[in-house]
Amino acid sequence: MADEWQEAYEFAVEVARKAGMVIKQEIDKEMKVLTKSSTVDLVTKTDERVEKIIIGSLKTKFGEKAHKFIGEESTEKGCELTDAPTWIIDPVDGTTNFVHGFPFVAVSIAFAVKKELEFGVVYSCLEDKMYRARNGKGAFCNDEPISVSDVKDITKSIIISEHGTDRTPAKVEKIFSTMQKILCIPVHGLRGSGTAATNMCLVATGAVEAFFEIGIHCWDVAAGAVIVREAGGIVLDVSGGPFDLMSRRMLSANHEDIAKRIIKEIEVFEVPRDDGV
Ligand code: IPD
């Protein structure tokens, strides 16, 4: 049988590059900044424009109705992942970075069929790094194969976590308490690029051993999940159970020893699911 999704995979890389060019052109311009779920959850006209460009290009290529779309800026109600071929898109992952000119901003495009992720593309556009992976076909950065680190001792690791955009004091306390406990294991360092998609690619290249966050959305991590797995890593729920794309909880790691040690320290808190279930 012909390779059904290869064309879509290659086209996603093209579209991510085109979207990244727009972001690069807009980052130095004066921009109007609006807010979404909280006063620190930012959005700009570029987020909306880039999402329209991505979805428009995909619809032109594959037809209006053949595929479904979940996009950060266009999905108003709960995200519905069905058996239909579905694109999961974050046009500007790292909007806060984009607004401030902090140099990590990514376009994240994933594709799922029958609720399973088939491929993922993350274009870290300011660094000009194109990460991509397809199930069973390996993970790449700018066409070079990538793989996770082989460090299994957490005291020799760098871990990424982020604090997200919910500033409810009780949640922030849990996030920082978790970070403090992990820092004091001790680990070599804690980091955060400000984009979940890029953070996952840093796990995939072996620059860090793990990244976890509670409060991310499906569009932040869908593409990165394929890239981490294809680079030899694992993607789990923060409790150690199976990863659930709609749960807004994710831990990605190079190895289960690192993941288990982190899970011992994570103070879990409730967040509403992306699918509203
Ligand atoms: C955000 C980034 C950030 C993460 C937040 C996300 P956005 O995505 O991925 O690293 O901490 O939870 O919402 O809003 O810039 O697309």
Side-chain angles (χ1 to χ4, degrees), residues 12-50:
V13 173
E14 242 178 75
V15 172
R17 198 177 295 285
K18 185 162 95 176
M21 299 292 280
V22 176
I23 294 171
K24 281 200 254 192
Q25 283 159 10
E26 294 300 318
I27 195 161
D28 292 327
K29 294 188 187 159
E30 201 55 38
M31 55 182 98
K32 187 168 178 206
V33 182
L34 302 170
T35 59
K36 297 193 290 185
S37 64
S38 75
T39 56
V40 295
D41 187 5
L42 311 182
V43 65
T44 69
K45 288 279 167 221
T46 304
D47 297 58
E48 288 160 16
R49 183 174 152 218
V50 173

PDB file of all heavy atoms in Angstrom, residues 12-50:
ATOM      1  N   ALA A  12       3.596  19.367   5.873  1.00  0.00           N
ATOM      2  CA  ALA A  12       3.598  20.024   7.197  1.00  0.00           C
ATOM      3  C   ALA A  12       4.928  20.745   7.436  1.00  0.00           C
ATOM      4  O   ALA A  12       4.954  21.842   8.006  1.00  0.00           O
ATOM      5  CB  ALA A  12       3.350  18.983   8.292  1.00  0.00           C
ATOM      6  N   VAL A  13       6.028  20.151   6.983  1.00  0.00           N
ATOM      7  CA  VAL A  13       7.341  20.795   7.136  1.00  0.00           C
ATOM      8  C   VAL A  13       7.372  22.096   6.332  1.00  0.00           C
ATOM      9  O   VAL A  13       7.802  23.152   6.824  1.00  0.00           O
ATOM     10  CB  VAL A  13       8.479  19.832   6.689  1.00  0.00           C
ATOM     11  CG1 VAL A  13       9.830  20.553   6.670  1.00  0.00           C
ATOM     12  CG2 VAL A  13       8.529  18.604   7.591  1.00  0.00           C
ATOM     13  N   GLU A  14       6.862  22.026   5.112  1.00  0.00           N
ATOM     14  CA  GLU A  14       6.816  23.227   4.245  1.00  0.00           C
ATOM     15  C   GLU A  14       5.985  24.345   4.889  1.00  0.00           C
ATOM     16  O   GLU A  14       6.386  25.504   4.914  1.00  0.00           O
ATOM     17  CB  GLU A  14       6.089  22.838   2.947  1.00  0.00           C
ATOM     18  CG  GLU A  14       6.899  22.949   1.691  1.00  0.00           C
ATOM     19  CD  GLU A  14       6.044  22.480   0.521  1.00  0.00           C
ATOM     20  OE1 GLU A  14       5.150  23.214   0.098  1.00  0.00           O
ATOM     21  OE2 GLU A  14       6.272  21.338   0.050  1.00  0.00           O
ATOM     22  N   VAL A  15       4.821  23.948   5.396  1.00  0.00           N
ATOM     23  CA  VAL A  15       3.909  24.937   5.981  1.00  0.00           C
ATOM     24  C   VAL A  15       4.508  25.533   7.262  1.00  0.00           C
ATOM     25  O   VAL A  15       4.406  26.736   7.509  1.00  0.00           O
ATOM     26  CB  VAL A  15       2.538  24.285   6.274  1.00  0.00           C
ATOM     27  CG1 VAL A  15       1.629  25.227   7.046  1.00  0.00           C
ATOM     28  CG2 VAL A  15       1.857  23.876   4.990  1.00  0.00           C
ATOM     29  N   ALA A  16       5.161  24.701   8.062  1.00  0.00           N
ATOM     30  CA  ALA A  16       5.778  25.195   9.303  1.00  0.00           C
ATOM     31  C   ALA A  16       6.867  26.218   8.962  1.00  0.00           C
ATOM     32  O   ALA A  16       7.005  27.248   9.634  1.00  0.00           O
ATOM     33  CB  ALA A  16       6.365  24.031  10.101  1.00  0.00           C
ATOM     34  N   ARG A  17       7.622  25.951   7.895  1.00  0.00           N
ATOM     35  CA  ARG A  17       8.677  26.898   7.503  1.00  0.00           C
ATOM     36  C   ARG A  17       8.064  28.228   7.057  1.00  0.00           C
ATOM     37  O   ARG A  17       8.505  29.301   7.439  1.00  0.00           O
ATOM     38  CB  ARG A  17       9.539  26.295   6.388  1.00  0.00           C
ATOM     39  CG  ARG A  17      10.874  27.006   6.245  1.00  0.00           C
ATOM     40  CD  ARG A  17      11.758  26.364   5.187  1.00  0.00           C
ATOM     41  NE  ARG A  17      12.192  25.018   5.489  1.00  0.00           N
ATOM     42  CZ  ARG A  17      13.143  24.699   6.369  1.00  0.00           C
ATOM     43  NH1 ARG A  17      13.733  25.646   7.068  1.00  0.00           N
ATOM     44  NH2 ARG A  17      13.485  23.443   6.574  1.00  0.00           N
ATOM     45  N   LYS A  18       6.991  28.123   6.265  1.00  0.00           N
ATOM     46  CA  LYS A  18       6.312  29.338   5.792  1.00  0.00           C
ATOM     47  C   LYS A  18       5.780  30.150   6.997  1.00  0.00           C
ATOM     48  O   LYS A  18       5.947  31.364   7.064  1.00  0.00           O
ATOM     49  CB  LYS A  18       5.153  28.909   4.875  1.00  0.00           C
ATOM     50  CG  LYS A  18       4.426  30.038   4.202  1.00  0.00           C
ATOM     51  CD  LYS A  18       3.616  29.539   3.000  1.00  0.00           C
ATOM     52  CE  LYS A  18       2.180  29.250   3.370  1.00  0.00           C
ATOM     53  NZ  LYS A  18       1.304  28.856   2.280  1.00  0.00           N
ATOM     54  N   ALA A  19       5.182  29.457   7.956  1.00  0.00           N
ATOM     55  CA  ALA A  19       4.640  30.118   9.151  1.00  0.00           C
ATOM     56  C   ALA A  19       5.774  30.781   9.942  1.00  0.00           C
ATOM     57  O   ALA A  19       5.636  31.915  10.416  1.00  0.00           O
ATOM     58  CB  ALA A  19       3.909  29.091  10.017  1.00  0.00           C
ATOM     59  N   GLY A  20       6.894  30.070  10.055  1.00  0.00           N
ATOM     60  CA  GLY A  20       8.042  30.608  10.793  1.00  0.00           C
ATOM     61  C   GLY A  20       8.593  31.881  10.171  1.00  0.00           C
ATOM     62  O   GLY A  20       9.025  32.805  10.872  1.00  0.00           O
ATOM     63  N   MET A  21       8.552  31.949   8.837  1.00  0.00           N
ATOM     64  CA  MET A  21       9.026  33.158   8.139  1.00  0.00           C
ATOM     65  C   MET A  21       8.171  34.364   8.534  1.00  0.00           C
ATOM     66  O   MET A  21       8.681  35.453   8.744  1.00  0.00           O
ATOM     67  CB  MET A  21       8.922  32.995   6.608  1.00  0.00           C
ATOM     68  CG  MET A  21       9.730  31.873   6.025  1.00  0.00           C
ATOM     69  SD  MET A  21      11.469  32.170   6.147  1.00  0.00           S
ATOM     70  CE  MET A  21      11.658  33.257   4.758  1.00  0.00           C
ATOM     71  N   VAL A  22       6.861  34.137   8.623  1.00  0.00           N
ATOM     72  CA  VAL A  22       5.953  35.233   9.006  1.00  0.00           C
ATOM     73  C   VAL A  22       6.284  35.694  10.424  1.00  0.00           C
ATOM     74  O   VAL A  22       6.393  36.896  10.702  1.00  0.00           O
ATOM     75  CB  VAL A  22       4.470  34.797   8.896  1.00  0.00           C
ATOM     76  CG1 VAL A  22       3.542  35.892   9.391  1.00  0.00           C
ATOM     77  CG2 VAL A  22       4.131  34.380   7.476  1.00  0.00           C
ATOM     78  N   ILE A  23       6.488  34.729  11.338  1.00  0.00           N
ATOM     79  CA  ILE A  23       6.818  35.086  12.736  1.00  0.00           C
ATOM     80  C   ILE A  23       8.107  35.916  12.762  1.00  0.00           C
ATOM     81  O   ILE A  23       8.188  36.945  13.437  1.00  0.00           O
ATOM     82  CB  ILE A  23       6.950  33.808  13.594  1.00  0.00           C
ATOM     83  CG1 ILE A  23       5.600  33.103  13.705  1.00  0.00           C
ATOM     84  CG2 ILE A  23       7.517  34.140  14.977  1.00  0.00           C
ATOM     85  CD1 ILE A  23       5.652  31.719  14.337  1.00  0.00           C
ATOM     86  N   LYS A  24       9.096  35.487  11.996  1.00  0.00           N
ATOM     87  CA  LYS A  24      10.384  36.206  11.992  1.00  0.00           C
ATOM     88  C   LYS A  24      10.222  37.631  11.474  1.00  0.00           C
ATOM     89  O   LYS A  24      10.853  38.556  11.965  1.00  0.00           O
ATOM     90  CB  LYS A  24      11.399  35.458  11.117  1.00  0.00           C
ATOM     91  CG  LYS A  24      12.001  34.250  11.832  1.00  0.00           C
ATOM     92  CD  LYS A  24      13.293  33.824  11.182  1.00  0.00           C
ATOM     93  CE  LYS A  24      13.076  32.564  10.396  1.00  0.00           C
ATOM     94  NZ  LYS A  24      14.307  31.915   9.959  1.00  0.00           N
ATOM     95  N   GLN A  25       9.350  37.800  10.478  1.00  0.00           N
ATOM     96  CA  GLN A  25       9.130  39.155   9.939  1.00  0.00           C
ATOM     97  C   GLN A  25       8.418  40.051  10.953  1.00  0.00           C
ATOM     98  O   GLN A  25       8.634  41.249  10.999  1.00  0.00           O
ATOM     99  CB  GLN A  25       8.253  39.097   8.680  1.00  0.00           C
ATOM    100  CG  GLN A  25       8.993  38.653   7.445  1.00  0.00           C
ATOM    101  CD  GLN A  25       8.023  38.121   6.388  1.00  0.00           C
ATOM    102  OE1 GLN A  25       6.802  38.247   6.512  1.00  0.00           O
ATOM    103  NE2 GLN A  25       8.580  37.521   5.347  1.00  0.00           N
ATOM    104  N   GLU A  26       7.557  39.442  11.776  1.00  0.00           N
ATOM    105  CA  GLU A  26       6.700  40.245  12.662  1.00  0.00           C
ATOM    106  C   GLU A  26       7.334  40.549  14.018  1.00  0.00           C
ATOM    107  O   GLU A  26       6.911  41.477  14.697  1.00  0.00           O
ATOM    108  CB  GLU A  26       5.360  39.521  12.897  1.00  0.00           C
ATOM    109  CG  GLU A  26       4.503  39.387  11.650  1.00  0.00           C
ATOM    110  CD  GLU A  26       4.132  40.726  11.026  1.00  0.00           C
ATOM    111  OE1 GLU A  26       3.802  41.671  11.760  1.00  0.00           O
ATOM    112  OE2 GLU A  26       4.211  40.832   9.781  1.00  0.00           O
ATOM    113  N   ILE A  27       8.350  39.768  14.428  1.00  0.00           N
ATOM    114  CA  ILE A  27       8.808  39.850  15.829  1.00  0.00           C
ATOM    115  C   ILE A  27       9.380  41.216  16.204  1.00  0.00           C
ATOM    116  O   ILE A  27       9.246  41.652  17.346  1.00  0.00           O
ATOM    117  CB  ILE A  27       9.778  38.695  16.185  1.00  0.00           C
ATOM    118  CG1 ILE A  27       9.925  38.587  17.709  1.00  0.00           C
ATOM    119  CG2 ILE A  27      11.136  38.858  15.512  1.00  0.00           C
ATOM    120  CD1 ILE A  27      10.454  37.282  18.204  1.00  0.00           C
ATOM    121  N   ASP A  28       9.972  41.915  15.256  1.00  0.00           N
ATOM    122  CA  ASP A  28      10.568  43.214  15.607  1.00  0.00           C
ATOM    123  C   ASP A  28       9.601  44.378  15.427  1.00  0.00           C
ATOM    124  O   ASP A  28       9.949  45.525  15.691  1.00  0.00           O
ATOM    125  CB  ASP A  28      11.828  43.457  14.754  1.00  0.00           C
ATOM    126  CG  ASP A  28      12.928  42.492  15.145  1.00  0.00           C
ATOM    127  OD1 ASP A  28      12.995  42.149  16.339  1.00  0.00           O
ATOM    128  OD2 ASP A  28      13.675  42.057  14.248  1.00  0.00           O
ATOM    129  N   LYS A  29       8.390  44.082  14.963  1.00  0.00           N
ATOM    130  CA  LYS A  29       7.449  45.183  14.708  1.00  0.00           C
ATOM    131  C   LYS A  29       6.666  45.521  15.973  1.00  0.00           C
ATOM    132  O   LYS A  29       6.550  44.700  16.886  1.00  0.00           O
ATOM    133  CB  LYS A  29       6.470  44.793  13.596  1.00  0.00           C
ATOM    134  CG  LYS A  29       7.156  44.622  12.252  1.00  0.00           C
ATOM    135  CD  LYS A  29       6.116  44.437  11.165  1.00  0.00           C
ATOM    136  CE  LYS A  29       6.768  44.099   9.846  1.00  0.00           C
ATOM    137  NZ  LYS A  29       5.850  43.460   8.923  1.00  0.00           N
ATOM    138  N   GLU A  30       6.095  46.696  15.983  1.00  0.00           N
ATOM    139  CA  GLU A  30       5.184  47.110  17.050  1.00  0.00           C
ATOM    140  C   GLU A  30       4.006  46.143  17.047  1.00  0.00           C
ATOM    141  O   GLU A  30       3.449  45.858  15.976  1.00  0.00           O
ATOM    142  CB  GLU A  30       4.704  48.517  16.668  1.00  0.00           C
ATOM    143  CG  GLU A  30       4.167  49.393  17.735  1.00  0.00           C
ATOM    144  CD  GLU A  30       5.086  49.600  18.918  1.00  0.00           C
ATOM    145  OE1 GLU A  30       6.323  49.725  18.756  1.00  0.00           O
ATOM    146  OE2 GLU A  30       4.533  49.608  20.014  1.00  0.00           O
ATOM    147  N   MET A  31       3.607  45.590  18.183  1.00  0.00           N
ATOM    148  CA  MET A  31       2.458  44.670  18.138  1.00  0.00           C
ATOM    149  C   MET A  31       1.431  44.970  19.225  1.00  0.00           C
ATOM    150  O   MET A  31       1.779  45.438  20.299  1.00  0.00           O
ATOM    151  CB  MET A  31       2.904  43.214  18.203  1.00  0.00           C
ATOM    152  CG  MET A  31       3.756  42.863  19.380  1.00  0.00           C
ATOM    153  SD  MET A  31       4.265  41.141  19.321  1.00  0.00           S
ATOM    154  CE  MET A  31       5.907  41.231  18.635  1.00  0.00           C
ATOM    155  N   LYS A  32       0.177  44.698  18.871  1.00  0.00           N
ATOM    156  CA  LYS A  32      -0.891  44.876  19.851  1.00  0.00           C
ATOM    157  C   LYS A  32      -1.035  43.559  20.607  1.00  0.00           C
ATOM    158  O   LYS A  32      -1.202  42.497  19.980  1.00  0.00           O
ATOM    159  CB  LYS A  32      -2.182  45.224  19.114  1.00  0.00           C
ATOM    160  CG  LYS A  32      -3.289  45.598  20.054  1.00  0.00           C
ATOM    161  CD  LYS A  32      -4.456  46.214  19.315  1.00  0.00           C
ATOM    162  CE  LYS A  32      -5.550  46.505  20.325  1.00  0.00           C
ATOM    163  NZ  LYS A  32      -6.849  46.530  19.753  1.00  0.00           N
ATOM    164  N   VAL A  33      -0.946  43.625  21.926  1.00  0.00           N
ATOM    165  CA  VAL A  33      -0.994  42.395  22.718  1.00  0.00           C
ATOM    166  C   VAL A  33      -2.330  42.302  23.448  1.00  0.00           C
ATOM    167  O   VAL A  33      -2.716  43.213  24.179  1.00  0.00           O
ATOM    168  CB  VAL A  33       0.168  42.363  23.740  1.00  0.00           C
ATOM    169  CG1 VAL A  33       0.155  41.067  24.530  1.00  0.00           C
ATOM    170  CG2 VAL A  33       1.502  42.556  23.028  1.00  0.00           C
ATOM    171  N   LEU A  34      -3.041  41.206  23.234  1.00  0.00           N
ATOM    172  CA  LEU A  34      -4.311  40.966  23.919  1.00  0.00           C
ATOM    173  C   LEU A  34      -4.116  39.825  24.907  1.00  0.00           C
ATOM    174  O   LEU A  34      -3.071  39.154  24.892  1.00  0.00           O
ATOM    175  CB  LEU A  34      -5.392  40.613  22.891  1.00  0.00           C
ATOM    176  CG  LEU A  34      -5.627  41.666  21.806  1.00  0.00           C
ATOM    177  CD1 LEU A  34      -6.535  41.133  20.709  1.00  0.00           C
ATOM    178  CD2 LEU A  34      -6.215  42.935  22.408  1.00  0.00           C
ATOM    179  N   THR A  35      -5.112  39.590  25.760  1.00  0.00           N
ATOM    180  CA  THR A  35      -4.976  38.493  26.729  1.00  0.00           C
ATOM    181  C   THR A  35      -6.128  37.503  26.567  1.00  0.00           C
ATOM    182  O   THR A  35      -7.188  37.843  26.040  1.00  0.00           O
ATOM    183  CB  THR A  35      -4.938  39.022  28.174  1.00  0.00           C
ATOM    184  OG1 THR A  35      -6.144  39.731  28.422  1.00  0.00           O
ATOM    185  CG2 THR A  35      -3.746  39.933  28.410  1.00  0.00           C
ATOM    186  N   LYS A  36      -5.897  36.271  27.072  1.00  0.00           N
ATOM    187  CA  LYS A  36      -6.912  35.215  26.937  1.00  0.00           C
ATOM    188  C   LYS A  36      -7.391  34.763  28.319  1.00  0.00           C
ATOM    189  O   LYS A  36      -8.149  35.460  28.967  1.00  0.00           O
ATOM    190  CB  LYS A  36      -6.351  34.049  26.126  1.00  0.00           C
ATOM    191  CG  LYS A  36      -5.997  34.438  24.698  1.00  0.00           C
ATOM    192  CD  LYS A  36      -5.747  33.231  23.808  1.00  0.00           C
ATOM    193  CE  LYS A  36      -4.470  32.527  24.160  1.00  0.00           C
ATOM    194  NZ  LYS A  36      -4.156  31.423  23.238  1.00  0.00           N
ATOM    195  N   SER A  37      -6.921  33.606  28.805  1.00  0.00           N
ATOM    196  CA  SER A  37      -7.457  33.050  30.054  1.00  0.00           C
ATOM    197  C   SER A  37      -7.050  33.826  31.303  1.00  0.00           C
ATOM    198  O   SER A  37      -7.684  33.724  32.346  1.00  0.00           O
ATOM    199  CB  SER A  37      -7.009  31.591  30.193  1.00  0.00           C
ATOM    200  OG  SER A  37      -5.607  31.539  30.298  1.00  0.00           O
ATOM    201  N   SER A  38      -5.954  34.591  31.223  1.00  0.00           N
ATOM    202  CA  SER A  38      -5.523  35.410  32.358  1.00  0.00           C
ATOM    203  C   SER A  38      -4.745  36.590  31.802  1.00  0.00           C
ATOM    204  O   SER A  38      -4.449  36.632  30.605  1.00  0.00           O
ATOM    205  CB  SER A  38      -4.631  34.591  33.310  1.00  0.00           C
ATOM    206  OG  SER A  38      -3.340  34.431  32.747  1.00  0.00           O
ATOM    207  N   THR A  39      -4.399  37.527  32.665  1.00  0.00           N
ATOM    208  CA  THR A  39      -3.706  38.742  32.185  1.00  0.00           C
ATOM    209  C   THR A  39      -2.288  38.445  31.714  1.00  0.00           C
ATOM    210  O   THR A  39      -1.637  39.295  31.118  1.00  0.00           O
ATOM    211  CB  THR A  39      -3.635  39.806  33.300  1.00  0.00           C
ATOM    212  OG1 THR A  39      -3.002  39.192  34.432  1.00  0.00           O
ATOM    213  CG2 THR A  39      -5.007  40.305  33.685  1.00  0.00           C
ATOM    214  N   VAL A  40      -1.797  37.229  31.992  1.00  0.00           N
ATOM    215  CA  VAL A  40      -0.455  36.885  31.507  1.00  0.00           C
ATOM    216  C   VAL A  40      -0.498  35.824  30.403  1.00  0.00           C
ATOM    217  O   VAL A  40       0.521  35.291  30.004  1.00  0.00           O
ATOM    218  CB  VAL A  40       0.467  36.411  32.664  1.00  0.00           C
ATOM    219  CG1 VAL A  40       0.720  37.554  33.636  1.00  0.00           C
ATOM    220  CG2 VAL A  40      -0.122  35.200  33.377  1.00  0.00           C
ATOM    221  N   ASP A  41      -1.701  35.498  29.946  1.00  0.00           N
ATOM    222  CA  ASP A  41      -1.869  34.552  28.827  1.00  0.00           C
ATOM    223  C   ASP A  41      -2.053  35.410  27.573  1.00  0.00           C
ATOM    224  O   ASP A  41      -3.141  35.894  27.298  1.00  0.00           O
ATOM    225  CB  ASP A  41      -3.098  33.667  29.097  1.00  0.00           C
ATOM    226  CG  ASP A  41      -3.251  32.560  28.073  1.00  0.00           C
ATOM    227  OD1 ASP A  41      -2.351  32.422  27.215  1.00  0.00           O
ATOM    228  OD2 ASP A  41      -4.262  31.837  28.137  1.00  0.00           O
ATOM    229  N   LEU A  42      -0.964  35.630  26.852  1.00  0.00           N
ATOM    230  CA  LEU A  42      -0.957  36.644  25.792  1.00  0.00           C
ATOM    231  C   LEU A  42      -1.308  36.068  24.421  1.00  0.00           C
ATOM    232  O   LEU A  42      -1.096  34.884  24.156  1.00  0.00           O
ATOM    233  CB  LEU A  42       0.438  37.292  25.733  1.00  0.00           C
ATOM    234  CG  LEU A  42       1.021  37.773  27.068  1.00  0.00           C
ATOM    235  CD1 LEU A  42       2.382  38.433  26.843  1.00  0.00           C
ATOM    236  CD2 LEU A  42       0.079  38.719  27.787  1.00  0.00           C
ATOM    237  N   VAL A  43      -1.831  36.949  23.584  1.00  0.00           N
ATOM    238  CA  VAL A  43      -2.098  36.584  22.184  1.00  0.00           C
ATOM    239  C   VAL A  43      -1.920  37.829  21.332  1.00  0.00           C
ATOM    240  O   VAL A  43      -2.157  38.952  21.799  1.00  0.00           O
ATOM    241  CB  VAL A  43      -3.505  35.941  22.022  1.00  0.00           C
ATOM    242  CG1 VAL A  43      -4.618  36.931  22.338  1.00  0.00           C
ATOM    243  CG2 VAL A  43      -3.702  35.354  20.627  1.00  0.00           C
ATOM    244  N   THR A  44      -1.455  37.640  20.102  1.00  0.00           N
ATOM    245  CA  THR A  44      -1.253  38.783  19.195  1.00  0.00           C
ATOM    246  C   THR A  44      -1.947  38.472  17.867  1.00  0.00           C
ATOM    247  O   THR A  44      -2.344  37.326  17.611  1.00  0.00           O
ATOM    248  CB  THR A  44       0.248  39.004  18.905  1.00  0.00           C
ATOM    249  OG1 THR A  44       0.719  37.915  18.107  1.00  0.00           O
ATOM    250  CG2 THR A  44       1.066  39.119  20.170  1.00  0.00           C
ATOM    251  N   LYS A  45      -2.032  39.490  17.029  1.00  0.00           N
ATOM    252  CA  LYS A  45      -2.610  39.306  15.686  1.00  0.00           C
ATOM    253  C   LYS A  45      -1.793  38.274  14.907  1.00  0.00           C
ATOM    254  O   LYS A  45      -2.312  37.570  14.045  1.00  0.00           O
ATOM    255  CB  LYS A  45      -2.597  40.640  14.927  1.00  0.00           C
ATOM    256  CG  LYS A  45      -3.616  41.627  15.455  1.00  0.00           C
ATOM    257  CD  LYS A  45      -5.007  41.329  14.895  1.00  0.00           C
ATOM    258  CE  LYS A  45      -6.072  42.091  15.639  1.00  0.00           C
ATOM    259  NZ  LYS A  45      -7.284  41.388  15.939  1.00  0.00           N
ATOM    260  N   THR A  46      -0.504  38.185  15.202  1.00  0.00           N
ATOM    261  CA  THR A  46       0.350  37.233  14.476  1.00  0.00           C
ATOM    262  C   THR A  46      -0.069  35.795  14.780  1.00  0.00           C
ATOM    263  O   THR A  46      -0.074  34.945  13.875  1.00  0.00           O
ATOM    264  CB  THR A  46       1.838  37.465  14.827  1.00  0.00           C
ATOM    265  OG1 THR A  46       2.146  38.823  14.536  1.00  0.00           O
ATOM    266  CG2 THR A  46       2.760  36.545  14.051  1.00  0.00           C
ATOM    267  N   ASP A  47      -0.416  35.512  16.068  1.00  0.00           N
ATOM    268  CA  ASP A  47      -0.878  34.151  16.396  1.00  0.00           C
ATOM    269  C   ASP A  47      -2.058  33.787  15.493  1.00  0.00           C
ATOM    270  O   ASP A  47      -2.104  32.700  14.913  1.00  0.00           O
ATOM    271  CB  ASP A  47      -1.354  34.068  17.860  1.00  0.00           C
ATOM    272  CG  ASP A  47      -0.251  34.338  18.874  1.00  0.00           C
ATOM    273  OD1 ASP A  47       0.357  35.426  18.817  1.00  0.00           O
ATOM    274  OD2 ASP A  47       0.021  33.476  19.702  1.00  0.00           O
ATOM    275  N   GLU A  48      -3.026  34.736  15.408  1.00  0.00           N
ATOM    276  CA  GLU A  48      -4.240  34.455  14.626  1.00  0.00           C
ATOM    277  C   GLU A  48      -3.916  34.347  13.131  1.00  0.00           C
ATOM    278  O   GLU A  48      -4.384  33.442  12.448  1.00  0.00           O
ATOM    279  CB  GLU A  48      -5.280  35.551  14.867  1.00  0.00           C
ATOM    280  CG  GLU A  48      -5.879  35.448  16.261  1.00  0.00           C
ATOM    281  CD  GLU A  48      -6.535  36.736  16.742  1.00  0.00           C
ATOM    282  OE1 GLU A  48      -6.796  37.623  15.908  1.00  0.00           O
ATOM    283  OE2 GLU A  48      -6.776  36.852  17.966  1.00  0.00           O
ATOM    284  N   ARG A  49      -3.071  35.277  12.661  1.00  0.00           N
ATOM    285  CA  ARG A  49      -2.741  35.285  11.223  1.00  0.00           C
ATOM    286  C   ARG A  49      -2.002  34.010  10.828  1.00  0.00           C
ATOM    287  O   ARG A  49      -2.311  33.387   9.812  1.00  0.00           O
ATOM    288  CB  ARG A  49      -1.881  36.533  10.943  1.00  0.00           C
ATOM    289  CG  ARG A  49      -1.553  36.693   9.499  1.00  0.00           C
ATOM    290  CD  ARG A  49      -0.839  38.013   9.220  1.00  0.00           C
ATOM    291  NE  ARG A  49       0.005  37.836   8.054  1.00  0.00           N
ATOM    292  CZ  ARG A  49       1.196  38.350   7.902  1.00  0.00           C
ATOM    293  NH1 ARG A  49       1.727  39.093   8.856  1.00  0.00           N
ATOM    294  NH2 ARG A  49       1.890  38.119   6.814  1.00  0.00           N
ATOM    295  N   VAL A  50      -1.026  33.621  11.648  1.00  0.00           N
ATOM    296  CA  VAL A  50      -0.225  32.436  11.306  1.00  0.00           C
ATOM    297  C   VAL A  50      -1.106  31.178  11.331  1.00  0.00           C
ATOM    298  O   VAL A  50      -0.984  30.306  10.469  1.00  0.00           O
ATOM    299  CB  VAL A  50       0.998  32.305  12.256  1.00  0.00           C
ATOM    300  CG1 VAL A  50       1.724  30.996  12.024  1.00  0.00           C
ATOM    301  CG2 VAL A  50       1.944  33.477  12.038  1.00  0.00           C
TER     302      VAL A  50
END
